[in-house]
Amino acid sequence: MTLLITWPGSGPENVVRRTSDFAEIAAALAPIGVRYEQWPVREDVPAGASADVVLEAYREQIDKLNGEEDFSTVDVVSLHPTDSPEWAETAKEARQKFLREHTHEDDDEIRFFVAGAGIFYLHAAQEVHAVYCEKGDLLGVPRGTTHWFDMGTSPSFTAIRFFHEEDGWIGKFTGSEIASRFPDFDTIHAEYTGQRA
């Protein structure tokens, strides 16, 4: 189940809002232009499914959203633990890339979670909104919104990505260290689920 935690932008000492109610989350994110939806989950799509299988399974929803927004590219990103010796380094590099606050000047960042979980931290309207996304959640971060994404120290997720621009993910980093001041994925995941990431 999705979770939204909102703090003042100054730090996480006081929680402004904490909810796992879909309607409350959607209503809280709407004023900052963030799209939040829940799509029906396909239980027949395993966590390690190929991109072709994932895209075909969610073809109806993808086509509907594409009809509304006319994306140039729709693809799948997947990162799950393996026995490969390179896994730890790959996971660390991937996490560090997205863990710094950034914006996208030319495109929205739209992700649908097919499996696993990750947290988008949205820094908007003098607040930080941590949106813990799981299987079935679609989140659309408007271009120009400062944010970061944390997948944890042992990432495990599959997501469909939607791009208006053919160049895909292009981040403009703010240089802020704000991400280091707020609870990370592992902390929130452990508290919320009772499990270590």
Side-chain angles (χ1 to χ4, degrees):
M1 182 174 286
T2 310
L3 173 69
L4 170 66
I5 305 173
T6 302
W7 302 279
S10 57
E13 292 76 23
N14 300 304
V15 174
V16 174
R17 176 186 303 105
R18 182 185 176 100
T19 182
S20 58
D21 180 82
F22 167 78
E24 289 180 25
I25 293 171
L29 297 177
I32 58 172
V34 173
R35 178 183 200 144
Y36 172 64
E37 300 175 6
Q38 289 182 327
W39 288 0
V41 171
R42 293 287 304 264
E43 297 294 351
D44 57 335
V45 179
S50 71
D52 288 342
V53 168
V54 170
L55 293 173
E56 189 54 40
Y58 288 95
R59 178 62 50 206
E60 182 179 342
Q61 292 91 342
I62 292 168
D63 288 349
K64 181 177 183 296
L65 186 57
N66 200 28
E68 296 171 9
E69 301 226 14
D70 193 28
F71 298 103
S72 65
T73 305
V74 178
D75 69 11
V76 175
V77 61
S78 187
L79 197 56
H80 296 278
T82 70
D83 293 331
S84 163
E86 296 86 24
W87 159 250
E89 191 58 36
T90 299
K92 182 178 178 182
E93 288 177 11
R95 183 179 189 224
Q96 291 308 312
K97 177 179 180 180
F98 303 113
L99 198 52
R100 296 178 293 145
E101 186 184 61
H102 59 276
T103 64
H104 304 289
E105 293 183 342
D106 298 320
D107 209 347
D108 300 338
E109 183 163 353
I110 301 174
R111 303 290 181 266
F112 170 70
F113 284 79
V114 174
I119 300 178
F120 277 93
Y121 295 80
L122 313 168
H123 185 192
Q126 289 81 51
E127 294 180 319
V128 170
H129 310 271
V131 188
Y132 181 98
C133 296
E134 292 187 309
K135 180 193 291 191
D137 291 330
L138 179 133
L139 192 75
V141 180
R143 69 191 70 196
T145 301
T146 52
H147 65 284
W148 65 94
F149 176 73
D150 192 1
M151 59 187 81
T153 53
S154 186
S156 182
F157 72 94
T158 299
I160 300 173
R161 307 186 302 176
F162 300 84
F163 296 105
H164 293 102
E165 299 294 321
E166 290 185 14
D167 292 337
W169 194 95
I170 300 173
K172 180 179 180 185
F173 295 95
T174 66
S176 171
E177 297 296 321
I178 189 170
S180 66
R181 299 199 308 264
F182 286 84
D184 64 6
F185 175 90
D186 291 349
T187 302
I188 292 174
H189 177 80
E191 177 202 337
Y192 187 48
T193 67
Q195 303 172 13
R196 293 187 56 181

